[in-house]
Amino acid sequence: MLLHYVLIGLALLALAGVIFEEVIHINKAKITLLFGTLSWIALFIFSPSGAERAVIDHHLRENLADISSLWLFLVAAMTFVAYLNKKGLIASLLHRAMPESISERKLLFFTAIFSFVFSSLADNITATLVSVALILSLSLPPNKTMRFAVLVVFAVNSGGVSLITGDVTTLMIFLADKVSILNLLWLSLPAFVAVLILAACLSIGMSGRVRIKQQRKDIRKIDYAIALIFLSTILFTIFGNVLFEIPPVLSFLAGLSVMFIFARIFNDDDEHDPILEYIRYIEFDTLLFFLGILLLVGMLEQIHALEFLLTLYEHLPPLYANYIMGITSAAVDNVPLTAALLKTDITMDLPSWLGLTYAVGVGGSLLVIGSAAGIVSMSKIPGLTFGRYAKYSFLLLIAYTVGYALVLTLANFI
């Protein structure tokens, strides 16, 4: 059918826009949202009958319902982080934890641990921005800055796979009921080991010392209290889902409302600094990108254009197919790739789903254009180019492979 080919063409144009965003200088959110909405409009206009339009309308509403759950969860989580980041709490705690002088090797491991842990709680973009700001404050030689940058990208992506607050692909796989929160928590062990292995490899030849510029800032008690509300919300989300199957979006919206009311009660919500305004500081271009991508993937599923992905799984066991999908995510954005795989309704066991979660979450680290963390780092760190990052691709592939193997080994004991 001609319409189907046109719609697939729109999806390919959107994907090309995402891949070549740095070349065409048009935000990928604008491109995907345009083609995502146009594809559904075309489906309605060129449907031959009212009955078929009713089916399309039903699938569109289902697609929008899934998107709204993802959106609302991300809005709540990102608002917490935006508030704490704007108030300087995150940067202040980071600098207070660091000594005035530290060896380059220890600093490399410190950066790895911080990026890994922080990206589990915050979105990848915020975690990368904070980590990159730390790197640039060190005034290291360019070749050593490159090592830190590569490590941050890998650590940020690795930290996000074990909690639904840390990575969108992990959240998508969880919302599709393929894994549980407790299952995901186990991923933190092999993911952390892989990060330490990469840090050890990158630390070879680093023997100098670094003086840290102390940038301490007084933090108000109410900001500490809101940070505690954020952490409590994460814990409540985990235990609430495990014990009572409470959807995470409800837990986070409840936590967000507690934050708003708490600020009002303690007079931290006035016309000069209204706490609701912090919603404006979240990365809405990222949210619009997800909206556009998921609309496109929903359209492709509607016209049965995703079945080609099943071919790989028909010819290879999930063990190898998921590993390849992870490497593929270094060239193709992991969000549409994961969304497309979920829409095909592939049947796999739990270890395979955990393997896929790790693969699509970390595989994008192999190339600097393969993840949001890489793109942000490339835009903020002078001299970080595709070619310079690619020099470390072999080390990244080793760390990724070790992490993937450890995930599958551990998953078989869950």
Side-chain angles (χ1 to χ4, degrees), residues 6 16 20-21 25 34 54 57 59 87-88 110 140 153 157 174 181 203 285 310 320 330 337 378 388 393 407 410:
V6 172
F20 297 106
E21 178 183 13
H25 302 294
L34 172 65
D57 181 69
H59 285 288
K87 293 298 183 180
F110 179 91
L140 294 169
V153 173
N157 287 328
F174 167 77
I181 285 182
S203 68
D285 57 340
L310 293 172
Y320 303 109
L337 184 65
M378 188 165 57
R388 288 180 179 174
S393 289
V407 167
L410 183 63

Side-chain angles (χ1 to χ4, degrees), residues 11-324:
L12 292 175
L13 284 174
L15 182 60
V18 172
I19 295 173
F20 297 106
E21 178 183 13
E22 297 299 314
V23 177
I24 62 178
H25 302 294
I26 300 178
N27 189 289
K28 61 185 177 183
K30 300 173 183 177
I31 295 173
T32 54
L33 188 59
L34 172 65
F35 287 117
T37 50
L38 282 181
S39 61
W40 281 99
I41 291 172
L43 272 175
F44 277 98
I45 291 175
F46 296 103
S47 295
S49 66
E52 190 166 332
R53 288 195 186 101
V55 173
I56 293 172
D57 181 69
H58 173 73
H59 285 288
L60 175 61
R61 291 176 185 273
E62 284 187 341
N63 198 19
L64 290 175
D66 293 338
I67 294 171
S68 65
S69 294
L70 176 67
W71 245 64
L72 291 172
F73 176 88
L74 291 174
V75 165
M78 293 169 79
T79 302
F80 269 114
V81 177
Y83 176 90
L84 297 174
N85 198 31
K86 284 290 180 180
K87 293 298 183 180
L89 178 65
I90 297 170
S92 178
L93 291 177
L94 174 60
H95 282 281
R96 290 183 184 186
M98 299 180 68
E100 293 185 1
S101 178
I102 187 174
S103 69
E104 291 177 342
R105 182 173 287 118
K106 287 183 179 179
L107 182 59
L108 197 69
F109 280 93
F110 179 91
T111 304
I113 294 170
F114 169 76
S115 300
F116 180 88
V117 174
F118 185 49
S119 67
S120 297
L121 306 176
D123 62 279
N124 286 358
I125 293 177
T126 302
T128 306
L129 287 172
V130 173
S131 300
V132 165
L134 169 64
I135 294 172
L136 294 178
S137 70
L138 303 176
S139 301
L140 294 169
N143 63 320
K144 292 181 179 178
T145 299
M146 292 302 112
R147 297 192 187 194
F148 275 86
V150 170
L151 181 60
V152 163
V153 173
F154 188 82
V156 164
N157 287 328
S158 298
V161 300
S162 58
L163 277 178
I164 57 176
T165 52
D167 190 88
V168 175
T169 54
T170 298
L171 178 60
M172 291 166 63
I173 294 171
F174 167 77
L175 292 177
D177 294 324
K178 304 302 183 184
V179 294
S180 70
I181 285 182
L182 286 181
N183 296 151
L184 290 172
L185 289 175
W186 285 106
L187 288 181
S188 61
L189 297 176
F192 185 60
V193 171
V195 170
L196 293 181
I197 289 173
L198 179 63
C201 293
L202 292 173
S203 68
I204 297 174
M206 300 185 74
S207 57
R209 294 192 68 82
V210 179
R211 293 193 63 83
I212 307 298
K213 298 177 182 178
Q214 298 298 316
Q215 301 176 3
R216 297 188 178 184
K217 177 183 177 182
D218 291 333
I219 303 298
R220 302 174 306 162
K221 291 181 179 179
I222 190 171
D223 295 333
Y224 283 118
I226 288 178
L228 183 60
I229 293 173
F230 177 45
L231 294 175
S232 299
T233 300
I234 294 174
L235 292 175
F236 178 76
T237 299
I238 294 172
F239 289 108
N241 183 264
V242 171
L243 298 176
F244 307 108
E245 299 181 0
I246 300 173
V249 63
L250 280 181
S251 301
F252 257 85
L253 288 176
L256 189 65
S257 65
V258 171
M259 169 185 165
F260 291 155
I261 294 172
F262 191 87
R264 176 72 270 179
I265 292 174
F266 289 90
N267 298 319
D268 193 52
D269 181 23
D270 53 40
E271 60 182 8
H272 301 294
D273 188 25
I275 196 164
L276 282 171
E277 288 294 307
Y278 285 91
I279 293 179
R280 297 177 183 270
Y281 295 122
I282 66 179
E283 300 285 343
F284 271 102
D285 57 340
T286 301
L287 293 174
L288 290 174
F289 166 66
F290 295 151
L291 173 59
I293 282 295
L294 294 174
L295 282 173
L296 280 167
V297 172
M299 174 275 296
L300 292 173
E301 191 254 345
Q302 171 70 20
I303 64 174
H304 308 289
L306 299 176
E307 295 176 358
F308 76 95
L309 288 173
L310 293 172
T311 305
L312 180 62
Y313 286 85
E314 290 173 354
H315 290 83
L316 291 174
L319 167 69
Y320 303 109
N322 290 336
Y323 179 80
I324 294 173

